[in-house]
Amino acid sequence: MRTYAEYAALTRWEKQVSPRTVGSNRGNAAMTACLGGPETHTPQRPGTMRTQVPTLLINSRHDPSTSHENATSVQRQQGQAAVLVTYEGSGHGVYDRSDCTRQVSDTYLLSLDVPRNGLSCPSTDK
């Protein structure tokens, strides 16, 4: 996105397809961070991570920004190099969604204790 007209069109589309978000601050900040920046040409291609400790992927089942389907695909492509933990609720960014998501994340980050692939944290959504 390089112009305000592009931003305005995207915001109208966002409100049409997801009226409950009403142009969230987090979403708008992400969309406008590169406003006016040069166009990039970085081709995406499959790759396999090389790591001694599997990477923790943690994603909500109903994430409006990064779909659970995509997170599942990344884990499948990475095989033993990644584990996926699913928060069974909604929202983008799940670290602080529940005691379960915090515990899984903190344990991984502090001790590199990798949870089992496919672990599920129950939703605390109201």
Side-chain angles (χ1 to χ4, degrees):
M1 176 173 27
R2 294 182 294 148
T3 67
Y4 178 77
E6 290 177 29
Y7 164 76
L10 191 55
T11 300
R12 284 191 301 277
W13 175 80
E14 175 190 31
K15 289 178 182 178
Q16 187 177 27
V17 299
S18 187
R20 293 183 184 192
T21 64
V22 193
S24 71
N25 287 338
R26 192 179 291 179
N28 284 329
M31 289 191 315
T32 59
C34 298
L35 189 61
E39 198 168 320
T40 62
H41 300 284
T42 307
Q44 299 298 307
R45 59 188 179 277
T48 303
M49 293 183 279
R50 292 177 188 89
T51 178
Q52 291 182 6
V53 176
T55 299
L56 174 63
L57 307 171
I58 186 164
N59 194 248
S60 79
R61 175 78 59 191
H62 307 287
D63 188 319
S65 299
T66 54
S67 73
H68 189 263
E69 180 180 272
N70 285 352
T72 302
S73 177
V74 168
Q75 190 288 315
R76 188 174 48 251
Q77 291 172 32
Q78 297 308 315
Q80 299 295 329
V83 298
L84 174 62
V85 173
T86 299
Y87 169 66
E88 295 295 341
S90 61
H92 182 66
V94 298
Y95 171 77
D96 59 353
R97 297 286 171 178
S98 71
D99 290 340
C100 177
T101 57
R102 265 190 308 280
Q103 183 176 358
V104 165
S105 300
D106 289 349
T107 300
Y108 175 81
L109 293 170
L110 296 173
S111 67
L112 295 180
D113 185 15
V114 181
R116 71 172 169 77
N117 187 47
L119 179 71
S120 177
C121 289
S123 173
T124 59
D125 296 351
K126 295 180 181 166

